[in-house]
Amino acid sequence: MTTLHCYLSYRDAPAALDWLARAFGFETTMRFDDDHGGVMHAEARLGDAAILLFSDDGAGYTRPEPRAEANGQGIYLAVDTKAEVDAVWERAVAAGATAVLKPESTDWGNYRCRVRDPEGYEWTFGIHRPGEPAGEW
């Protein structure tokens, strides 16, 4: 069995963990703080999705710059219903996310939305499940 997880560096990882909980519903499942008020390693879960994150600690990691409304890369999370896409959109925008794509249907059968978090990472929520044959969506 193979699973895929992403890891993200945040300039303010403690604030990012709080924001991810408010905006998307992530639950922190593991957290090791460093000696400078940051996070050495943390893990957060939303349903079957899990991410890893840590404090940038002055390393100056770059974020992709937006081109037009999007930056061309980000995290995609599949949910079960259009209502869930709409609900996460509302929560995220209320929590201060930057709107990238309002909830919409695509030509390939997805219903999705996209927002940018306070540190510039893009998050897409949609009903399409990548890797499944098109006839089974």
Side-chain angles (χ1 to χ4, degrees):
M1 179 177 168
T2 302
T3 59
L4 174 67
H5 305 283
C6 68
Y7 63 93
L8 304 167
S9 66
Y10 281 93
R11 293 176 190 100
D12 188 347
L17 286 167
D18 291 341
W19 190 88
L20 291 167
R22 279 193 332 275
F24 303 140
F26 273 96
E27 174 189 356
T28 301
T29 57
M30 180 184 291
R31 178 174 169 170
F32 294 95
D33 291 336
D34 62 26
D35 294 333
H36 312 288
V39 175
M40 193 174 349
H41 176 88
E43 299 175 10
R45 173 172 292 287
L46 177 61
D48 288 336
I51 60 171
L52 300 92
L53 61 112
F54 58 95
S55 292
D56 184 326
D57 276 343
Y61 295 117
T62 60
R63 307 293 186 275
E65 290 296 322
R67 308 223 187 267
E69 71 276 354
N71 65 27
Q73 55 185 296
I75 298 95
Y76 179 92
L77 292 101
V79 297
D80 292 326
T81 67
K82 291 180 178 182
E84 288 176 88
V85 172
D86 292 338
V88 76
W89 168 265
E90 294 295 328
R91 276 195 323 271
V93 170
T98 301
V100 177
L101 294 172
K102 292 181 180 181
E104 65 179 1
S105 295
T106 67
D107 292 340
W108 57 92
N110 197 3
Y111 182 78
R112 57 138 191 232
C113 70
R114 182 174 302 150
V115 297
R116 190 171 304 112
D117 73 21
E119 291 206 22
Y121 291 109
E122 288 186 6
W123 298 81
T124 302
F125 287 79
I127 61 170
H128 169 64
R129 301 222 172 247
E132 291 183 5
E136 295 182 21
W137 307 350

